[in-house]
Amino acid sequence: VRQAAFKGKLAGSGSAAKDRILKALTGKDAVLYAPAIALVPPNFGPGEIGRVADLLEGLPEDARTQLTAVLGGYPADAVRPYLLAAAEGPSLNVRLAALRAIEKTGDAKAVAFLAAKAARAAGAEQETARETLSRLRGTEVDAAILGHLAKASDEAIKGELVQAASARRIDGVN
């Protein structure tokens, strides 16, 4: 009932909606976190998402996981630092959500991070980092993989880059 009331208040609040969402995310009423997070995309553009992402660390794990997933809908330049930080955080669920979000928003700048993450992680986290690295979009990602492969001195990272190049069917990999 409180979630519905919150959504109703926002529907009629116009420009105050952003402030109400931020207030809900900084408040102690955990029931409001999910509806507030769901209302982030229609209310905060790429230039404003930092105001919301700055609140990540103060949220409980479930809300951090949800908000991290939402950040995947924003341009890489707007959310990269938040996603990289979340991918290194203490919660496995948040780390996995961050890696999946990087898959959606990532670019060539994420290649080195993902290769290192895949090389040093284990289990679901390693698999998700590998999948993300192989699914990043863009030919500039292919060039970054080849560039990092040529410079890599760590054998585990080199192995992850070779695996990603193979999965992406990049020509020129020995």
Side-chain angles (χ1 to χ4, degrees):
V1 174
R2 288 199 328 257
Q3 286 184 355
F6 177 75
K7 287 181 181 179
K9 274 186 186 179
L10 279 180
S13 66
S15 62
K18 291 176 186 173
D19 291 334
R20 288 186 183 196
I21 291 168
L22 293 172
K23 186 176 180 182
L25 293 174
T26 56
K28 300 297 178 212
D29 190 350
V31 171
L32 298 182
Y33 294 151
I37 291 167
L39 292 166
V40 166
N43 287 284
F44 290 87
E48 305 167 304
I49 193 59
R51 292 174 61 197
V52 178
D54 283 338
L55 305 176
L56 262 173
E57 290 306 312
L59 294 170
E61 180 181 0
D62 288 350
R64 277 197 328 265
T65 303
Q66 290 174 311
L67 183 53
T68 299
V70 165
L71 294 179
Y74 286 85
D77 288 340
V79 297
R80 182 182 298 109
Y82 302 104
L83 293 177
L84 295 179
E88 293 292 339
S91 164
L92 176 61
N93 290 332
V94 175
R95 291 194 310 266
L96 293 175
L99 290 170
R100 290 183 192 109
I102 291 169
E103 181 179 328
K104 295 179 200 171
T105 66
D107 55 19
K109 293 177 184 174
V111 168
F113 173 83
L114 290 169
K117 183 65 132 171
R120 71 176 186 268
E125 187 174 11
Q126 182 180 49
E127 187 58 36
T128 303
R130 285 175 174 164
E131 288 174 8
T132 298
L133 184 55
S134 69
R135 293 178 182 168
L136 286 175
R137 293 185 208 108
T139 55
E140 71 280 355
V141 172
D142 294 349
I145 289 172
L146 292 175
H148 287 294
L149 187 56
K151 296 185 290 186
S153 58
D154 182 296
E155 288 302 315
I157 291 174
K158 204 177 244 187
E160 294 298 336
L161 290 165
V162 167
Q163 188 173 333
S166 175
R168 295 175 67 86
R169 297 179 175 24
I170 299 173
D171 290 333
V173 178
N174 300 0

